[in-house]
Amino acid sequence: MKYLGAKHLIGNEIASVIYNKINPTMVNGYIEPFCGSLGVFKQMIKYNYNNYIASDLQHDIILLWQNLQNNELNLPIAFNQEMWNQLKKSDSPNAMKAVAGFGMSFGGKYFSGYIQKYASNSNRDFYKEFKNSLNKIQKIIQKPNIKFYNKSYNSFNPNNMLIYCDPPYHNTTQYETGDFNTDEFWELMRKWSKNNYVFISEENAPDDFIVVWSKDKRRTLDSKTRSYKIEKLFVYKYGLIC
């Protein structure tokens, strides 16, 4: 899924940085508590850690990954705006609602607008592109050591794990899952970093977190007003990594 907040364009780079610092022999497994569209997660799978855990509070997208993993996702041959409108009103959890809400919405932002309307004269078929992306991901995630969960990041109690967090960025557009307490998040990252290897994607962090990687990344959709911000990967200054 290619959308503005996702890490698909830089996921491979982030995964490479993490792997080069923490190899599979050093940890019990890998956890991604804000897995979203699997931009980084799908890249980490190729490094063969013992166990993989992907979680997100957004229930529709987790059901999508679970159904895809278990060969239970039945996609329609075609997709149109009427279906998009109906799914927007449908109850959750619903894997097809994730298809419409993220995969077929402008910028990948949850039901921000039906994306095919923006195809203009390009002849692009966004639904076909999305199905192709799902087919590729399905082949990657169908392993017995990969588990998907629909729960909050703070419900985990990891020990000697490699952890990558891509939380809702501070002072950005509100996520569909509701308010996010950044102070509580950073405090838990300090705690986890004492007995785990923790990496966090953000643009800014408290002073006791340091940058181990950074890159300019496009953050706007409109090419006329296109701007770039620095994507950064942080670790806790007093954690295991430092």
Side-chain angles (χ1 to χ4, degrees), residues 14-24 44 47 49 162 199:
I14 292 175
S16 178
V17 171
I18 294 174
Y19 169 74
N20 286 331
K21 291 183 178 295
I22 311 299
N23 67 65
M44 292 298 298
Y47 294 122
Y49 289 85
L162 172 58
F199 295 82

Side-chain angles (χ1 to χ4, degrees), residues 214-231:
S214 65
K215 183 174 184 175
D216 288 348
K217 182 175 181 290
R218 180 165 62 89
R219 298 289 290 170
T220 57
L221 292 168
D222 189 347
S223 60
K224 295 180 180 179
T225 60
R226 184 168 294 171
S227 65
Y228 292 80
K229 292 188 178 180
I230 300 177
E231 183 84 31

Side-chain angles (χ1 to χ4, degrees), residues 168-209:
Y169 284 9
H170 188 54
N171 292 330
T172 56
T173 303
Q174 182 58 58
Y175 277 48
E176 182 266 338
T177 49
D179 293 335
F180 185 76
N181 190 316
T182 56
D183 291 336
E184 288 183 3
F185 168 77
W186 288 111
E187 188 57 39
L188 187 57
M189 294 304 99
R190 294 181 180 98
K191 178 181 178 181
W192 280 1
S193 297
K194 295 298 179 66
N195 57 356
N196 299 277
Y197 299 92
V198 184
F199 295 82
I200 305 109
S201 277
E202 244 288 14
E203 292 173 0
N204 298 287
D207 292 340
D208 52 350
F209 287 81

Side-chain angles (χ1 to χ4, degrees), residues 3-215:
Y3 63 80
L4 190 62
K7 294 293 188 295
H8 287 275
L9 296 179
I10 58 174
N12 186 48
E13 292 181 65
I14 292 175
S16 178
V17 171
I18 294 174
Y19 169 74
N20 286 331
K21 291 183 178 295
I22 311 299
N23 67 65
T25 64
M26 299 170 63
V27 292
N28 296 329
Y30 175 76
I31 300 179
E32 201 170 306
F34 304 88
C35 69
S37 64
L38 309 186
V40 174
F41 189 82
K42 68 181 182 182
Q43 300 292 343
M44 292 298 298
I45 293 174
K46 66 188 177 186
Y47 294 122
N48 296 317
Y49 289 85
N50 291 332
N51 298 289
Y52 288 89
I53 295 174
S55 180
D56 204 284
L57 199 56
Q58 216 291 335
H59 31 219
D60 297 322
I61 202 166
I62 288 298
L63 185 58
L64 171 64
W65 300 137
Q66 290 172 335
N67 286 357
L68 192 68
Q69 185 183 47
N70 299 324
N71 295 313
E72 296 173 348
L73 183 65
N74 298 312
L75 293 171
I77 296 175
F79 195 93
N80 57 43
Q81 188 165 5
E82 182 179 357
M83 297 167 64
W84 188 90
N85 290 333
Q86 291 175 347
L87 286 164
K88 183 178 181 180
K89 300 174 184 178
S90 66
D91 295 332
S92 295
N94 182 344
M96 278 303 301
K97 191 170 184 177
V99 170
F102 295 106
M104 293 301 297
S105 294
F106 183 62
K109 184 179 177 183
Y110 196 62
F111 287 105
S112 58
Y114 181 53
I115 192 172
Q116 197 61 45
K117 292 195 306 181
Y118 301 90
S120 300
N121 297 321
S122 67
N123 294 319
R124 287 185 67 180
D125 185 338
F126 287 103
Y127 183 58
K128 182 178 179 180
E129 291 179 15
F130 179 67
K131 287 200 297 182
N132 289 339
S133 294
L134 289 183
N135 287 335
K136 292 177 182 178
I137 292 174
Q138 184 175 36
K139 296 175 183 178
I140 297 172
I141 64 175
Q142 289 186 322
K143 295 181 179 181
N145 65 338
I146 298 174
K147 305 295 182 183
F148 291 96
Y149 297 96
N150 172 216
K151 58 183 184 178
S152 177
Y153 75 98
N154 55 20
S155 65
F156 288 97
N157 186 27
N159 183 52
N160 194 37
M161 299 291 286
L162 172 58
I163 303 170
Y164 168 69
C165 292
D166 183 23
Y169 284 9
H170 188 54
N171 292 330
T172 56
T173 303
Q174 182 58 58
Y175 277 48
E176 182 266 338
T177 49
D179 293 335
F180 185 76
N181 190 316
T182 56
D183 291 336
E184 288 183 3
F185 168 77
W186 288 111
E187 188 57 39
L188 187 57
M189 294 304 99
R190 294 181 180 98
K191 178 181 178 181
W192 280 1
S193 297
K194 295 298 179 66
N195 57 356
N196 299 277
Y197 299 92
V198 184
F199 295 82
I200 305 109
S201 277
E202 244 288 14
E203 292 173 0
N204 298 287
D207 292 340
D208 52 350
F209 287 81
I210 61 174
V211 177
V212 293
W213 174 87
S214 65
K215 183 174 184 175

